[in-house]
Amino acid sequence: MDGHSDSHGAPRWHGTTIIGVKKNGTTVIAGDGQVSMGNTVMKPNARKVRRLGEGGKVIAGFAGATADAFTLFERLEKKLEQYSGQLLRAAVELAKDWRTDKYLRNLEALMIVADKDVMLVLTGNGDVLEPEGGVAAIGSGGNYALSAAKALDPYEQDAEKIARRAMEVAAEVCVFTNDRVTVESV
């Protein structure tokens, strides 16, 4: 197996880079626009970061299969409605469903979600993680972006500047990440 195929040998839609930075009362989620399949760029300007919930008070970014991520965005929006916009409660309930529902269990995606109070990483294993130090990154270029953001953090006070520069670094190093960045903040 070449690392670019699923267990059936079909080419896999390759990830992305999403970073979340929480600093000085602002939380930013940024993501690149590249969608790749194998060694081919299928789309350079996908929008993987968006606002959710009533009034767009929640921001979210995904890495993984695009259709799966849209399903998860939709489910999270329903949970936000059900729990009156309480992100932590909605995320925990989504993670429970994701882990136990036969259909959802097969979805391949990770999400970073945030509101004015909390930033979380959601996984298909049912994990709801609050990142230490106010920085989280997911996707194929996530480790590059995370390292860059952690290096910048002591020297830069602006969360958006940290996120944008970290995405630039990831785009320079990771072939599955490009420099067409979408940024949302709360």
Side-chain angles (χ1 to χ4, degrees):
M1 200 83 44
D2 64 0
H4 298 288
S5 302
D6 66 17
S7 60
H8 303 292
R12 216 174 46 195
W13 292 90
H14 229 294
T16 188
T17 302
I18 302 292
I19 187 159
V21 178
K22 183 176 179 139
K23 188 164 188 165
N24 295 330
T26 300
T27 302
V28 173
I29 295 179
D32 77 314
Q34 184 167 307
V35 175
S36 306
M37 188 161 89
N39 294 326
T40 305
V41 175
M42 301 302 286
K43 185 173 183 172
N45 59 348
R47 188 171 169 84
K48 303 172 198 170
V49 176
R50 58 190 53 218
R51 292 188 168 278
L52 301 174
E54 190 177 322
K57 294 177 183 172
V58 172
I59 53 176
F62 74 87
T66 307
D68 293 354
F70 287 122
T71 298
L72 292 168
F73 279 157
E74 201 173 272
R75 295 283 181 116
L76 181 58
E77 279 198 298
K78 286 179 184 170
K79 295 291 183 186
L80 285 166
E81 269 180 40
Q82 186 178 350
Y83 296 105
S84 306
Q86 297 173 55
L87 178 58
L88 184 56
R89 177 82 189 271
V92 167
E93 294 302 321
L94 175 65
K96 282 182 193 174
D97 289 352
W98 196 353
R99 187 180 65 244
T100 59
D101 182 278
K102 192 173 184 177
Y103 170 73
L104 290 178
R105 224 183 6 237
N106 293 318
L107 299 183
E108 293 182 23
L110 290 166
M111 297 175 71
I112 298 177
V113 297
D115 64 10
K116 65 181 180 52
D117 300 314
V118 66
M119 180 171 61
L120 306 165
V121 177
L122 308 180
T123 76
N125 296 329
D127 298 320
V128 177
L129 308 168
E130 189 166 5
E132 194 173 310
V135 179
I138 56 176
S140 54
N143 286 338
Y144 305 116
L146 181 66
S147 296
K150 285 184 174 276
L152 288 168
D153 187 58
Y155 307 103
E156 177 59 62
Q157 298 307 307
D158 186 300
E160 185 171 335
K161 286 182 181 177
I162 293 171
R164 285 187 181 277
R165 181 62 186 133
M167 290 300 298
E168 288 172 11
V169 169
E172 291 171 9
V173 181
C174 177
V175 297
F176 298 108
T177 303
N178 71 13
D179 60 0
R180 297 191 188 176
V181 175
T182 300
V183 177
E184 293 286 353
S185 63
V186 287

